[in-house]
Amino acid sequence: MEQGKQGVMVAKLSPNQNPIEQLQVRYKLLETQFKTWLTKQSLPVEAAIVTITSAAQGAAIGAFMGTLTNDGGSPFPTPPQANLNPQAMASLKQAQALSGGPFVQARNFAVMTGVNAGISCVMKRLRGKEDVQSSMVAAFGSGAMFSLVSGMGGPNQIANAATSGLFFALVQGGLFQLGQKFSQPPVEDTYYSKTRSMLSNLGLQNYEKNFKKGLLSDTTLPLLTDSALRDVKIPPGPRLLILDHIQRDPEFKGKRGK
């Protein structure tokens, strides 16, 4: 196995490989390791880490968006007469919340992304899947918190928070369904789902095209040999990792002798 790992490292660090591709492979490997470690933690720990990291990403995006405004504050000054009209004041606060400076936008985006990611994490752990219902619940919480934190609620914050949450949930639900519809893989790709998963876990997703060129579909995985992988021009290191993975996988172990 150690020999296989060394082979993969040689393949990854090969001078003939594009430096950008090397960085992408390393990033994917670190990301996979982090996600694997995270799934082994308790639910509160996982939810807290996911919420904090997502909020930090949202804050960075929001701060960048806020720099596009002319100054650090809201571009909408508060007119004295708006204090006499609650509806006008609520509309003004909505405009300020959506058009504030770096700090305001960083706060708003941090709340939206952090709450959404945290709730999604909890729902996925509790329900064991990620579907449109979980996505809408997370979006509702995100929209409600955004309404409260940004000050968009006006005189009736609770009702407006619920309305904002419902709006976010409906939009997210529609986007989720639309994404599911357009993300369906081509029919021929369904024959390579296990292959794709295996290569992704091994950090070898770049060789999926080699499998397809050689028609090495999921049904051929238990039958793979070194010569078959060599015929589709997969280097020695990745070949060792693939064969070792198949040999160790309980799903394929009983089929290799047949």
Side-chain angles (χ1 to χ4, degrees):
M1 182 63 183
E2 186 66 23
Q3 182 181 2
K5 289 183 178 178
Q6 292 175 357
V8 173
M9 289 301 296
V10 170
K12 290 178 181 178
L13 301 179
S14 172
N16 296 327
Q17 190 174 14
N18 191 317
I20 297 179
E21 292 181 355
Q22 292 184 19
L23 291 176
Q24 290 176 339
V25 170
R26 289 177 177 177
Y27 174 78
K28 284 290 184 181
L29 182 61
L30 290 175
E31 184 181 33
T32 301
Q33 292 174 344
F34 175 73
K35 288 181 178 180
T36 301
W37 172 83
L38 197 59
T39 57
K40 297 178 181 179
Q41 308 307 308
S42 63
L43 177 57
V45 172
E46 182 183 6
I49 293 176
V50 169
T51 300
I52 292 172
T53 54
S54 298
Q57 293 174 356
I61 295 174
F64 173 75
M65 296 289 291
T67 58
L68 301 180
T69 58
N70 293 329
D71 52 36
S74 170
F76 296 93
T78 304
Q81 63 270 23
N83 296 325
L84 303 177
N85 190 335
Q87 293 182 348
M89 197 65 184
S91 299
L92 178 63
K93 286 184 177 181
Q94 289 182 358
Q96 290 173 335
L98 296 173
S99 306
F103 176 78
V104 173
Q105 291 295 344
R107 177 200 63 192
N108 293 347
F109 274 76
V111 169
M112 285 191 294
T113 57
V115 172
N116 191 297
I119 296 178
S120 295
C121 174
V122 173
M123 294 293 291
K124 185 176 180 179
R125 265 284 188 99
L126 294 178
R127 304 182 72 233
K129 59 181 178 179
E130 188 175 0
D131 54 13
V132 64
Q133 288 84 2
S134 298
S135 180
M136 291 181 69
V137 169
F140 180 88
S142 175
M145 285 300 299
F146 169 74
S147 176
L148 294 173
V149 172
S150 64
M152 290 176 60
N156 195 346
Q157 293 187 359
I158 301 301
N160 280 278
T163 301
S164 297
L166 182 60
F167 174 75
F168 272 57
L170 292 175
V171 172
Q172 182 67 19
L175 293 176
F176 187 93
Q177 295 283 45
L178 193 63
Q180 288 288 96
K181 180 178 179 180
F182 285 98
S183 64
Q184 294 295 330
V187 176
E188 61 271 16
D189 280 2
T190 60
Y191 299 110
Y192 296 91
S193 58
K194 293 180 182 179
T195 301
R196 186 180 305 109
S197 177
M198 176 191 68
L199 294 175
S200 179
N201 291 335
L202 295 174
L204 304 174
Q205 53 269 26
N206 290 339
Y207 295 109
E208 181 181 343
K209 60 182 180 295
N210 300 66
F211 274 76
K212 290 183 177 180
K213 287 181 180 179
L215 299 181
L216 299 177
S217 62
D218 293 347
T219 56
T220 67
L221 290 181
L223 308 174
L224 283 181
T225 61
D226 184 77
S227 61
L229 295 174
R230 186 168 59 247
D231 288 342
V232 294
K233 298 181 180 180
I234 295 179
R239 291 204 306 266
L240 290 172
L241 265 189
I242 292 169
L243 292 174
D244 181 76
H245 175 85
I246 293 174
Q247 184 178 6
R248 294 173 181 270
D249 195 321
E251 183 180 356
F252 303 132
K253 189 178 296 184
K255 301 178 180 179
R256 288 187 63 80
K258 296 182 180 180

